[in-house]
Amino acid sequence: MNAGRRPAALVYAVALAAYVAAVFHRTSLGVTGVDAAERFHVNAAALATFSVAQLAVYAAMQIPVGVLLDRYGSRRLLLTGGALMVAGQLLFAVAGDVPAAVAARVLVGLGDAMTFISVLRIVAFWFPGRRNPLLVQLTGTVGQLGAVLGAVPLVALLHHAGWTPAFLTAAALGATVVLLLLVAVRDTPHAEHAAALAPDLATVRRQLADAWAQPGTRLGLWTHFVTQFSGAVFALLWGYPFLVQGQGFSPTAAAGLLTLMTVVTLVCGPVIAHLCARHPFHRSVVVFAITAATAGVWAAVLAWPGRAPHWLLVALVVVLAVNGPGSVIGFDYARTFNPVRRIGSATGIVNVGGFVASIVLILAVGVVLDLATPAGQAAPTLSAFRWAFAVQFLLWALGAVQVLRYRNAARRRLADGRVTAAVPAAA
């Protein structure tokens, strides 16, 4: 099929399927954490290194991937990323020790890092500019369906067929998506052009420095930091053990609650996007509201005497579901406070914020769980989980102070006329 005749909807649908698969691979460890601890005979802190390795690679690769994308295009990066994630799941399926398991999660993180930004580039080339904001939000929201596949179906398969068949199936799903990419996706709707040369190192450094010097970029980074980590860590690793070991849920019920979290994300994503589009000057108010609501519900859960009632845990996953769409506000700041030539650099900087916070929290929860669990006890107690999740309040305090600081700095720069924002009154 000629690229020029290829329907844009088909190209986008397959690229979006690649992102759904990436989210599936990314979150597949979260619902299998208890089984992973048993399989590899590790404690909570060691189990945390699996997710930390995956997220650290993802965060570290954001800016390099942007440079590679400019040179090689979306199709090559989506194919490479998909192949790396398949390899990671294959290795995870047969891994029998910790080094092999960590290497598997590194491969998943590396492939995942190439996916989302590549899909956004597909959107930019295949659709008119006026449709880009909606499609970007749609990509981030629909992509969370991958977490649904990584919850109930994967848990059911794991408990029915065992570890290796479950992750071999995950790899087969990823391989199917790679084949679809190979057949259906092209970089542009026109005849393929020779890839542009990558920017030289001096240009890359200058664009990064200019993006970092813009307070709006740092406002985006700290927005991403403060809104993303709690929901991400709950979904990626510690939510499932907390519900099963701490709150006494069955594995199926816990997976169902994580699925509910994803469904709510799908619903509230467009709502957050609409609020930010209608009230750009008050985007930081939305950020503070999401942060306060998340911290407030967590405080109620952790302070509840004994196990929390089911209605309160449902409220927790609902408010955590808003974290993902809330973190997208950080990318909106990058867009509105930076010229087009450095959007990639600014977006890469912003995307690091939430994942660094997630890495810190994953490690901290693992360490505190080990310290607070009585010696000789196999599973952490509810009390241990309470102390571990209380670490979040330090991160929320830091993030909220920084958001307030850089919001004020961005508004001063706007008032001085030293920046032209894409929308009026953009903080």
Side-chain angles (χ1 to χ4, degrees):
M1 183 185 294
N2 182 276
R5 297 179 181 176
R6 196 169 305 233
L10 172 63
V11 175
Y12 174 68
V14 175
L16 180 58
Y19 182 54
V20 171
V23 174
F24 165 68
H25 294 312
R26 180 195 306 169
T27 58
S28 60
L29 177 61
V31 293
T32 59
V34 174
D35 299 89
E38 295 175 356
R39 177 178 175 85
F40 299 107
H41 309 291
V42 295
N43 59 19
L47 179 61
T49 62
F50 293 5
S51 284
V52 167
Q54 178 180 323
L55 291 179
V57 169
Y58 183 99
M61 285 299 296
Q62 288 307 300
I63 295 171
V65 163
V67 175
L68 292 171
L69 188 61
D70 287 337
R71 180 163 187 170
Y72 296 110
S74 295
R75 184 172 186 266
R76 290 183 181 181
L77 260 66
L78 286 171
L79 288 170
T80 302
L84 286 168
M85 287 184 282
V86 169
Q89 296 289 49
L90 285 173
L91 179 56
F92 206 50
V94 300
D97 54 33
V98 171
V102 171
R105 302 321 295 180
V106 166
L107 288 173
V108 171
L110 188 58
D112 188 13
M114 298 181 180
T115 307
F116 182 65
I117 189 172
S118 297
V119 179
L120 296 190
R121 190 175 186 269
I122 291 286
V123 169
F125 274 94
W126 282 83
F127 295 92
R130 67 182 181 276
R131 297 178 64 185
N132 278 204
L134 175 61
L135 288 171
V136 168
Q137 179 64 48
L138 183 66
T139 301
T141 301
V142 175
Q144 300 312 305
L145 287 173
V148 177
L149 295 175
V152 175
L154 185 61
V155 168
L157 183 59
L158 179 65
H159 292 155
H160 176 73
W163 180 276
T164 298
F167 280 95
L168 287 177
T169 302
L173 175 65
T176 302
V177 173
V178 170
L179 290 175
L180 290 174
L181 288 169
L182 188 64
V183 172
V185 171
R186 295 294 180 268
D187 286 317
T188 74
H190 311 293
E192 298 290 345
H193 299 289
L197 292 176
D200 59 62
L201 188 58
T203 301
V204 170
R205 278 197 296 235
R206 184 171 61 253
Q207 288 179 342
L208 288 174
D210 290 344
W212 178 253
Q214 170 55 249
T217 302
R218 279 180 273 184
L219 173 59
L221 180 147
W222 287 106
T223 293
H224 199 257
F225 178 103
V226 79
T227 52
Q228 191 209 41
F229 68 82
S230 188
V233 169
F234 196 88
L236 287 173
L237 185 62
W238 291 123
Y240 185 82
F242 170 71
L243 293 171
V244 173
Q245 297 174 332
Q247 297 292 339
F249 275 57
S250 69
T252 301
L257 210 51
L258 291 174
T259 300
L260 172 64
M261 182 176 166
T262 303
V263 172
V264 176
T265 297
L266 294 172
V267 173
C268 70
V271 176
I272 297 295
H274 177 73
L275 285 174
C276 292
R278 289 289 302 271
H279 308 286
F281 190 71
H282 299 295
R283 285 176 293 183
S284 59
V285 175
V286 178
V287 172
F288 286 126
I290 291 171
T291 303
T294 307
V297 177
W298 262 119
V301 170
L302 299 181
W304 197 274
R307 290 173 174 171
H310 284 196
W311 65 263
L312 184 54
L313 294 172
V314 169
L316 176 65
V317 299
V318 167
V319 76
L320 289 175
V322 188
N323 285 196
S327 69
V328 176
I329 298 172
F331 299 115
D332 206 38
Y333 283 130
R335 177 182 64 85
T336 56
F337 280 94
N338 288 276
V340 173
R341 67 180 182 276
R342 65 171 189 248
I343 286 295
S345 298
T347 300
I349 291 170
V350 168
N351 208 22
V352 169
F355 288 98
V356 167
S358 297
I359 290 168
V360 170
L361 183 59
I362 284 174
L363 280 174
V365 169
V367 170
V368 175
L369 282 178
D370 284 341
L371 292 174
T373 300
Q377 185 162 324
T381 63
L382 179 56
S383 177
F385 277 111
R386 284 174 173 154
W387 284 108
F389 278 111
V391 175
Q392 295 179 103
F393 291 90
L394 298 175
L395 295 176
W396 280 316
L398 172 63
V401 167
Q402 293 294 80
V403 168
L404 185 61
R405 174 188 176 190
Y406 286 108
R407 182 193 70 172
N408 294 340
R411 286 181 175 181
R412 285 195 299 270
R413 183 162 291 200
L414 278 172
D416 293 343
R418 288 181 288 164
V419 62
T420 302
V423 296

mmCIF file of all heavy atoms in Angstrom, residues 161-181:
data_model
loop_
_atom_site.group_PDB
_atom_site.id
_atom_site.type_symbol
_atom_site.label_atom_id
_atom_site.label_comp_id
_atom_site.label_asym_id
_atom_site.label_seq_id
_atom_site.Cartn_x
_atom_site.Cartn_y
_atom_site.Cartn_z
ATOM 1 N N ALA A 161 -1.796 -20.974 34.525
ATOM 2 C CA ALA A 161 -0.792 -21.666 33.714
ATOM 3 C C ALA A 161 0.615 -21.591 34.288
ATOM 4 O O ALA A 161 1.486 -22.370 33.894
ATOM 5 C CB ALA A 161 -0.803 -21.091 32.289
ATOM 6 N N GLY A 162 0.874 -20.622 35.150
ATOM 7 C CA GLY A 162 2.215 -20.505 35.718
ATOM 8 C C GLY A 162 2.981 -19.328 35.150
ATOM 9 O O GLY A 162 2.553 -18.658 34.210
ATOM 10 N N TRP A 163 4.133 -19.075 35.740
ATOM 11 C CA TRP A 163 4.946 -17.898 35.432
ATOM 12 C C TRP A 163 5.402 -17.865 33.980
ATOM 13 O O TRP A 163 5.157 -16.907 33.249
ATOM 14 C CB TRP A 163 6.161 -17.862 36.352
ATOM 15 C CG TRP A 163 7.068 -16.698 36.140
ATOM 16 C CD1 TRP A 163 8.082 -16.591 35.213
ATOM 17 C CD2 TRP A 163 7.035 -15.443 36.831
ATOM 18 N NE1 TRP A 163 8.683 -15.362 35.302
ATOM 19 C CE2 TRP A 163 8.071 -14.638 36.282
ATOM 20 C CE3 TRP A 163 6.244 -14.928 37.858
ATOM 21 C CZ2 TRP A 163 8.319 -13.348 36.734
ATOM 22 C CZ3 TRP A 163 6.503 -13.643 38.317
ATOM 23 C CH2 TRP A 163 7.527 -12.868 37.761
ATOM 24 N N THR A 164 6.084 -18.902 33.543
ATOM 25 C CA THR A 164 6.673 -18.885 32.200
ATOM 26 C C THR A 164 5.622 -18.783 31.100
ATOM 27 O O THR A 164 5.745 -17.937 30.196
ATOM 28 C CB THR A 164 7.568 -20.124 31.996
ATOM 29 O OG1 THR A 164 8.653 -20.076 32.947
ATOM 30 C CG2 THR A 164 8.153 -20.155 30.585
ATOM 31 N N PRO A 165 4.557 -19.595 31.102
ATOM 32 C CA PRO A 165 3.529 -19.429 30.055
ATOM 33 C C PRO A 165 2.899 -18.039 30.053
ATOM 34 O O PRO A 165 2.591 -17.497 28.982
ATOM 35 C CB PRO A 165 2.502 -20.504 30.401
ATOM 36 C CG PRO A 165 3.271 -21.540 31.147
ATOM 37 C CD PRO A 165 4.280 -20.780 31.946
ATOM 38 N N ALA A 166 2.704 -17.446 31.238
ATOM 39 C CA ALA A 166 2.078 -16.123 31.298
ATOM 40 C C ALA A 166 2.941 -15.075 30.601
ATOM 41 O O ALA A 166 2.444 -14.277 29.789
ATOM 42 C CB ALA A 166 1.836 -15.718 32.753
ATOM 43 N N PHE A 167 4.236 -15.070 30.879
ATOM 44 C CA PHE A 167 5.085 -14.046 30.278
ATOM 45 C C PHE A 167 5.476 -14.383 28.832
ATOM 46 O O PHE A 167 5.776 -13.479 28.049
ATOM 47 C CB PHE A 167 6.313 -13.791 31.162
ATOM 48 C CG PHE A 167 5.989 -12.897 32.327
ATOM 49 C CD1 PHE A 167 5.661 -13.429 33.555
ATOM 50 C CD2 PHE A 167 5.959 -11.520 32.167
ATOM 51 C CE1 PHE A 167 5.322 -12.609 34.630
ATOM 52 C CE2 PHE A 167 5.629 -10.684 33.220
ATOM 53 C CZ PHE A 167 5.311 -11.230 34.462
ATOM 54 N N LEU A 168 5.450 -15.663 28.466
ATOM 55 C CA LEU A 168 5.609 -15.997 27.048
ATOM 56 C C LEU A 168 4.404 -15.480 26.252
ATOM 57 O O LEU A 168 4.556 -15.002 25.114
ATOM 58 C CB LEU A 168 5.749 -17.511 26.870
ATOM 59 C CG LEU A 168 7.076 -18.134 27.306
ATOM 60 C CD1 LEU A 168 7.037 -19.648 27.137
ATOM 61 C CD2 LEU A 168 8.251 -17.545 26.510
ATOM 62 N N THR A 169 3.219 -15.558 26.846
ATOM 63 C CA THR A 169 2.025 -15.001 26.199
ATOM 64 C C THR A 169 2.144 -13.494 26.055
ATOM 65 O O THR A 169 1.769 -12.922 25.018
ATOM 66 C CB THR A 169 0.767 -15.355 27.006
ATOM 67 O OG1 THR A 169 0.670 -16.788 27.121
ATOM 68 C CG2 THR A 169 -0.488 -14.815 26.338
ATOM 69 N N ALA A 170 2.674 -12.833 27.089
ATOM 70 C CA ALA A 170 2.895 -11.384 27.010
ATOM 71 C C ALA A 170 3.857 -11.038 25.882
ATOM 72 O O ALA A 170 3.643 -10.077 25.133
ATOM 73 C CB ALA A 170 3.435 -10.868 28.344
ATOM 74 N N ALA A 171 4.900 -11.839 25.738
ATOM 75 C CA ALA A 171 5.855 -11.613 24.650
ATOM 76 C C ALA A 171 5.198 -11.833 23.288
ATOM 77 O O ALA A 171 5.454 -11.083 22.332
ATOM 78 C CB ALA A 171 7.059 -12.540 24.817
ATOM 79 N N ALA A 172 4.336 -12.848 23.188
ATOM 80 C CA ALA A 172 3.649 -13.119 21.920
ATOM 81 C C ALA A 172 2.724 -11.972 21.544
ATOM 82 O O ALA A 172 2.627 -11.596 20.358
ATOM 83 C CB ALA A 172 2.860 -14.420 22.032
ATOM 84 N N LEU A 173 2.045 -11.396 22.535
ATOM 85 C CA LEU A 173 1.201 -10.233 22.273
ATOM 86 C C LEU A 173 2.038 -9.076 21.722
ATOM 87 O O LEU A 173 1.664 -8.424 20.743
ATOM 88 C CB LEU A 173 0.499 -9.804 23.557
ATOM 89 C CG LEU A 173 -0.332 -8.520 23.486
ATOM 90 C CD1 LEU A 173 -1.513 -8.702 22.539
ATOM 91 C CD2 LEU A 173 -0.840 -8.123 24.874
ATOM 92 N N GLY A 174 3.186 -8.841 22.341
ATOM 93 C CA GLY A 174 4.070 -7.778 21.862
ATOM 94 C C GLY A 174 4.586 -8.039 20.458
ATOM 95 O O GLY A 174 4.686 -7.120 19.637
ATOM 96 N N ALA A 175 4.914 -9.289 20.164
ATOM 97 C CA ALA A 175 5.419 -9.632 18.828
ATOM 98 C C ALA A 175 4.350 -9.399 17.762
ATOM 99 O O ALA A 175 4.653 -8.952 16.639
ATOM 100 C CB ALA A 175 5.880 -11.087 18.811
ATOM 101 N N THR A 176 3.099 -9.668 18.094
ATOM 102 C CA THR A 176 2.001 -9.423 17.151
ATOM 103 C C THR A 176 1.901 -7.943 16.812
ATOM 104 O O THR A 176 1.712 -7.564 15.644
ATOM 105 C CB THR A 176 0.671 -9.909 17.753
ATOM 106 O OG1 THR A 176 0.763 -11.304 18.061
ATOM 107 C CG2 THR A 176 -0.485 -9.669 16.799
ATOM 108 N N VAL A 177 2.048 -7.094 17.820
ATOM 109 C CA VAL A 177 1.988 -5.647 17.586
ATOM 110 C C VAL A 177 3.164 -5.194 16.723
ATOM 111 O O VAL A 177 3.006 -4.345 15.837
ATOM 112 C CB VAL A 177 1.965 -4.892 18.930
ATOM 113 C CG1 VAL A 177 2.073 -3.382 18.699
ATOM 114 C CG2 VAL A 177 0.695 -5.210 19.695
ATOM 115 N N VAL A 178 4.339 -5.758 16.931
ATOM 116 C CA VAL A 178 5.506 -5.405 16.109
ATOM 117 C C VAL A 178 5.243 -5.732 14.645
ATOM 118 O O VAL A 178 5.579 -4.950 13.745
ATOM 119 C CB VAL A 178 6.774 -6.131 16.616
ATOM 120 C CG1 VAL A 178 7.930 -5.958 15.625
ATOM 121 C CG2 VAL A 178 7.188 -5.593 17.983
ATOM 122 N N LEU A 179 4.627 -6.875 14.382
ATOM 123 C CA LEU A 179 4.296 -7.242 12.996
ATOM 124 C C LEU A 179 3.304 -6.250 12.391
ATOM 125 O O LEU A 179 3.428 -5.872 11.211
ATOM 126 C CB LEU A 179 3.721 -8.660 12.960
ATOM 127 C CG LEU A 179 4.707 -9.795 13.241
ATOM 128 C CD1 LEU A 179 3.989 -11.133 13.286
ATOM 129 C CD2 LEU A 179 5.822 -9.815 12.188
ATOM 130 N N LEU A 180 2.315 -5.822 13.161
ATOM 131 C CA LEU A 180 1.355 -4.823 12.678
ATOM 132 C C LEU A 180 2.070 -3.508 12.352
ATOM 133 O O LEU A 180 1.770 -2.863 11.335
ATOM 134 C CB LEU A 180 0.272 -4.587 13.718
ATOM 135 C CG LEU A 180 -0.726 -5.736 13.945
ATOM 136 C CD1 LEU A 180 -1.648 -5.411 15.117
ATOM 137 C CD2 LEU A 180 -1.544 -5.980 12.671
ATOM 138 N N LEU A 181 3.000 -3.109 13.194
ATOM 139 C CA LEU A 181 3.771 -1.891 12.934
ATOM 140 C C LEU A 181 4.541 -2.005 11.623
ATOM 141 O O LEU A 181 4.589 -1.066 10.815
ATOM 142 C CB LEU A 181 4.758 -1.640 14.082
ATOM 143 C CG LEU A 181 4.181 -1.176 15.412
ATOM 144 C CD1 LEU A 181 5.254 -1.252 16.495
ATOM 145 C CD2 LEU A 181 3.668 0.259 15.297
#
